[in-house]
Amino acid sequence: MSDIIQLLPDHVANQIAAGEVVQRPASVVKELMENAIDADATMIKLIIKDAGKTLVQVIDNGKGMSATDARLSFERHATSKIRSADDLFSLNTKGFRGEALASIAAIAHVELRSKQAEDELGTLINIEGSEIKTQEVTVTPTGTSIAVKHLFFNIPARRNFLKSNTVELRHIIDEFHRVALAHPKVAFAMYHNGSELFNLHESNYRQRVVNIFGMKTNEKLVPVEETTEVLTISGFVGKPQFAKKSRTEQFFFVNNRFIKSPYLNHAINAAFEGLIKDGNHPIYFLNLTVDPKSIDINIHPTKTEIKFDDEHTLYAILRSSVKHSLGQFNIAPVLDFDYDTNLDTPYNYKDKGPSTPTVEVDRNYNPFREERVAGKQVTAFRKQTPNNWDSLYVGLESKGTRDTQDFSQVEFESEPEKSSLFDDKSQIETTQSTYQLQNKYIISTIKSGMLMIDQNRAHQRILYEGLLKSMTVKEAVSQQLLFPLQLHFTGSELTILRQLKDDLEATGFVFSTIDEDQVEITGLPINVPDSEVAMILEQLISDVEQEVPDSHFSATDLLAKSMAKSLAIKTGQSLSNLEQEHLVNSLFACKEPSVSPTNRATFITLSIDEVDRKFM
């Protein structure tokens, strides 16, 4: 039998490795920006076209590469970061595997321009699918510029599985945030389709956070500082009242490298226990500095997972440090039974000294003094002899008889009407046929047995179909607000809102202005209360960030799902009998009553036979 094992060609091996290193355009952004950081760049510019599908270009002013290094950088396992296996335990650079550029060049068209400061001319290299097309001398500024075009041009299956431009741009912005937050001393700029999204100058860490997430972020931050023999913690956590439903503003950095750690995230949640609502997540931007020998970064090619020598110690220190900061800045409630708030000195009086109070007294005042008026003696108190006590009731009997009226003609104020969740079009008295179980399920009887309906999912289906009908069939009707609503969002969130502005206006929203960090709304859809607008928009942004929209779904469908999820009645809300019946009737009037907008069952049926078997 002949030999069947053979060595794969380099371009095939590179395409296989690219499956792990380059998952989407955001992966290219991460690798190229980290290479620029390792090159000691002080200014990094990121240029994106069509959410990275057409172009991803990173320009830096780092130390550049020689002609030999520029050519060798595209070979597999070629790196300047390490020399031996022992260097893996003392890493101070972002990259060290030597796979990124080789993997990117295998699945895209790459143009590299690089020049060192001591050289007069630089190097230009063009690569298509691991094949070097040209290498020549060129005029270029000091530093490196890498342009990645037509990503996945030779892997159409991978390209077809990319998400919409909105989702892919969201991932690119996330990677940009992670690198920019880890290096506040480096200036960054980002452009998408010719428009500037970010322009971050060199600053301290707090300013970098504020410049990325908006001016309103400054008032949300609580500093965290702790130094121990095991690790050093620095950064900020958000105040409990600003907790969000999404995890978009949660950042852990270990030795200036962004990581994902559910274990350490649990330590933050434990510190915020009892301070935030269920379903909300705290905001944090924390830098952990540990001994490089105590961690292992070489877990995954993306280098976002780290193994620690002693995770339990880190957990305890991190949890206690966050709790200490919340208590130190009077964020967490404190029980002190010996403390009297009445003894606090007002802030305006902190520099004032004590003074003797002045009291004015009229020393000539005498309440028992007798006065004479026109020859008569008048005293301050006059003694009057009371009449017989029966005289107090004289005249009441006749007055009561004269004013007596027929109480059947008396009109009383009606009882206040209770607001109903649903429109009550008919007031037909019927016997109760539905029951509410644990303020979560509605039980109704049918001929074959029993029907159990999830009230939240059922109402989502009802609202979803109603919203779709009003968006697509009817013209959107807006309710003008007497006072405009001003809502504050981060820069990335505003980018998503600008992309969805036309679709939101089709539903009835009216935007007057969208500034750098706030949105002003002057009109709302009729069925949306102004108190729910912030929650609806936050839920919509969260859905976009969590990859809810796909190429098969329109923005209108996304809006209808998100708004239905936000406006639907929640579990635990008590419904009257009329509201229960209206909910059941409206559900079965829908086109798809059996599933919610997210394809989850809205009701189940229990037949009499199934109930009988429970008693056997």
Side-chain angles (χ1 to χ4, degrees):
M1 185 175 178
S2 60
D3 300 332
I4 59 176
I5 297 179
Q6 58 182 354
L7 189 64
L8 290 176
D10 287 341
H11 68 279
V12 177
N14 289 336
Q15 285 193 14
I16 295 174
E20 292 184 343
V21 178
V22 184
Q23 301 172 357
R24 54 184 358 126
S27 304
V28 178
V29 172
K30 172 182 180 296
E31 298 294 342
L32 297 184
M33 291 186 69
E34 288 184 349
N35 283 344
I37 294 294
D38 289 338
D40 299 330
T42 59
M43 174 62 194
I44 300 175
K45 185 182 296 183
L46 173 62
I47 302 174
I48 303 294
K49 287 186 179 179
D50 298 332
K53 299 175 183 178
T54 302
L55 172 68
V56 174
Q57 185 175 8
V58 174
I59 304 173
D60 67 71
N61 62 348
K63 53 190 176 184
M65 292 182 287
S66 64
T68 304
D69 287 344
R71 172 63 186 85
L72 194 59
S73 64
F74 291 98
E75 297 294 333
R76 289 189 69 199
H77 308 306
T79 179
S80 61
K81 315 300 173 57
I82 61 175
R83 290 289 183 267
S84 63
D86 294 336
D87 295 337
L88 291 173
F89 301 102
S90 58
L91 288 173
N92 294 312
T93 58
K94 302 293 183 181
F96 56 87
R97 300 173 64 94
E99 290 182 330
L101 289 181
S103 300
I104 293 172
I107 55 175
H109 296 179
V110 179
E111 178 184 285
L112 169 68
R113 296 174 182 267
S114 185
K115 185 181 84 71
Q116 293 179 328
E118 61 271 14
D119 297 334
E120 295 183 358
L121 297 175
T123 304
L124 170 62
I125 298 178
N126 285 291
I127 300 178
E128 296 181 5
S130 295
E131 182 180 353
I132 297 180
K133 296 296 184 180
T134 60
Q135 179 174 355
E136 56 189 22
V137 178
T138 186
V139 176
T140 183
T142 301
T144 303
S145 171
I146 301 181
V148 179
K149 307 174 183 178
H150 309 300
L151 191 64
F152 301 123
F153 79 99
N154 53 357
I155 311 178
R158 178 66 69 88
R159 186 176 183 87
N160 292 335
F161 276 101
L162 291 178
K163 302 293 183 180
S164 62
N165 286 355
T166 303
V167 177
E168 294 299 338
L169 179 61
R170 174 67 246 176
H171 285 284
I172 291 175
I173 292 177
D174 285 343
E175 293 295 345
F176 180 84
H177 286 173
R178 294 165 183 174
V179 179
L181 285 173
H183 302 277
K185 298 300 182 182
V186 179
F188 291 89
M190 179 178 175
Y191 302 87
H192 179 248
N193 291 340
S195 61
E196 182 182 88
L197 298 184
F198 296 96
N199 189 2
L200 309 175
H201 301 284
E202 179 183 352
S203 62
N204 57 36
Y205 191 57
R206 190 184 191 107
Q207 290 174 336
R208 177 55 55 89
V209 173
V210 171
N211 291 337
I212 291 178
F213 294 100
M215 295 299 297
K216 287 294 179 180
T217 309
N218 191 34
E219 64 186 33
K220 304 177 184 179
L221 302 179
V222 177
V224 179
E225 297 288 342
E226 190 67 40
T227 302
T228 65
E229 296 180 356
V230 180
L231 83 161
T232 300
I233 303 174
S234 64
F236 304 93
V237 295
K239 297 178 181 179
Q241 61 266 31
F242 297 107
K244 305 183 67 175
K245 292 185 177 296
S246 61
R247 302 177 185 268
T248 54
E249 296 184 25
Q250 294 184 344
F251 294 89
F252 270 126
F253 300 97
V254 175
N255 295 349
N256 293 329
R257 182 190 302 274
F258 173 79
I259 68 162
K260 297 178 181 178
S261 176
Y263 187 70
L264 296 182
N265 180 71
H266 188 274
I268 303 295
N269 291 332
F272 277 87
E273 185 177 2
L275 299 178
I276 59 178
K277 298 179 181 179
D278 292 338
N280 290 354
H281 306 283
I283 300 172
Y284 56 81
F285 310 90
L286 294 176
N287 298 297
L288 310 181
T289 304
V290 299
D291 186 0
K293 296 181 180 179
S294 64
I295 58 176
D296 185 6
I297 305 173
N298 192 23
I299 304 297
H300 192 271
T302 59
K303 299 185 284 290
T304 57
E305 299 178 12
I306 289 183
K307 294 294 183 182
F308 298 93
D309 283 348
D310 191 357
E311 285 187 332
H312 298 287
T313 302
L314 298 182
Y315 182 99
I317 296 175
L318 183 60
R319 178 175 175 269
S320 60
S321 300
V322 174
K323 290 192 90 172
H324 178 262
S325 294
L326 293 176
Q328 182 180 8
F329 291 91
N330 296 327
I331 304 301
V334 178
L335 289 178
D336 188 353
F337 297 102
D338 298 329
Y339 179 71
D340 187 0
T341 57
N342 295 325
L343 300 179
D344 285 344
T345 302
Y347 183 78
N348 296 332
Y349 292 86
K350 64 183 183 66
D351 297 328
K352 293 184 178 181
S355 59
T356 304
T358 58
V359 180
E360 296 181 358
V361 179
D362 185 4
R363 301 185 180 277
N364 297 323
Y365 175 72
N366 183 6
F368 303 102
R369 183 179 58 188
E370 296 182 355
E371 297 180 0
R372 295 182 178 275
V373 180
K376 296 183 180 180
Q377 185 175 357
V378 180
T379 59
F381 295 93
R382 184 176 62 181
K383 184 176 181 182
Q384 183 177 2
T385 305
N387 298 326
N388 191 4
W389 65 272
D390 292 336
S391 64
L392 298 175
Y393 301 93
V394 175
L396 293 180
E397 182 177 0
S398 61
K399 183 178 179 180
T401 306
R402 182 173 62 252
D403 297 338
T404 302
Q405 297 181 1
D406 186 5
F407 284 98
S408 62
Q409 299 178 355
V410 178
E411 295 183 358
F412 296 94
E413 184 179 358
S414 60
E415 294 184 358
E417 296 182 359
K418 296 182 179 179
S419 59
S420 176
L421 183 62
F422 305 100
D423 294 334
D424 184 15
K425 296 182 180 180
S426 62
Q427 297 289 344
I428 303 176
E429 294 293 335
T430 58
T431 58
Q432 183 176 355
S433 60
T434 59
Y435 301 90
Q436 193 174 19
L437 178 63
Q438 298 293 326
N439 289 340
K440 182 177 182 180
Y441 301 105
I442 297 176
I443 310 299
S444 180
T445 57
I446 55 177
K447 292 182 179 180
S448 60
M450 183 173 61
L451 192 69
M452 183 177 292
I453 302 173
D454 188 308
Q455 64 183 31
N456 176 261
R457 297 180 187 177
H459 200 205
Q460 283 189 40
R461 166 54 63 177
I462 297 169
L463 292 176
Y464 170 70
E465 293 196 2
L467 289 169
L468 273 184
K469 186 176 180 180
S470 63
M471 292 177 192
T472 57
V473 179
K474 304 177 183 178
E475 293 185 358
V477 180
S478 297
Q479 178 182 0
Q480 297 301 311
L481 299 176
L482 183 60
F483 300 102
L485 286 176
Q486 292 183 348
L487 304 176
H488 297 275
F489 296 97
T490 63
S492 58
E493 292 172 343
L494 287 175
T495 302
I496 296 175
L497 286 179
R498 290 189 183 97
Q499 295 170 351
L500 299 175
K501 179 183 177 182
D502 294 338
D503 297 298
L504 285 170
E505 289 178 342
T507 65
F509 284 92
V510 179
F511 297 92
S512 59
T513 57
I514 299 181
D515 296 332
E516 295 182 356
D517 61 345
Q518 73 174 8
V519 174
E520 187 174 272
I521 300 175
T522 58
L524 299 175
I526 284 183
N527 56 349
V528 176
D530 55 355
S531 60
E532 303 287 340
V533 175
M535 182 183 68
I536 291 173
L537 294 182
E538 287 180 2
Q539 183 67 49
L540 176 62
I541 293 171
S542 176
D543 289 342
V544 174
E545 292 173 344
Q546 299 300 324
E547 302 184 20
V548 171
D550 203 345
S551 57
H552 305 291
F553 295 95
S554 64
T556 304
D557 183 81
L558 168 66
L559 287 174
K561 286 182 179 178
S562 182
M563 291 175 64
K565 182 179 179 182
S566 301
L567 296 174
I569 56 176
K570 303 299 186 288
T571 298
Q573 183 172 346
S574 178
L575 303 178
S576 65
N577 295 334
L578 191 60
E579 291 173 338
Q580 297 172 24
E581 293 177 5
H582 188 88
L583 183 68
V584 174
N585 295 334
S586 300
L587 174 64
F588 288 100
C590 295
K591 295 181 180 180
E592 294 289 341
S594 58
V595 293
S596 68
T598 54
N599 292 325
R600 303 177 71 179
T602 57
F603 65 87
I604 60 172
T605 57
L606 292 176
S607 63
I608 294 297
D609 295 337
E610 291 176 328
V611 176
D612 290 340
R613 283 196 291 269
K614 298 293 183 181
F615 291 93
M616 290 182 180

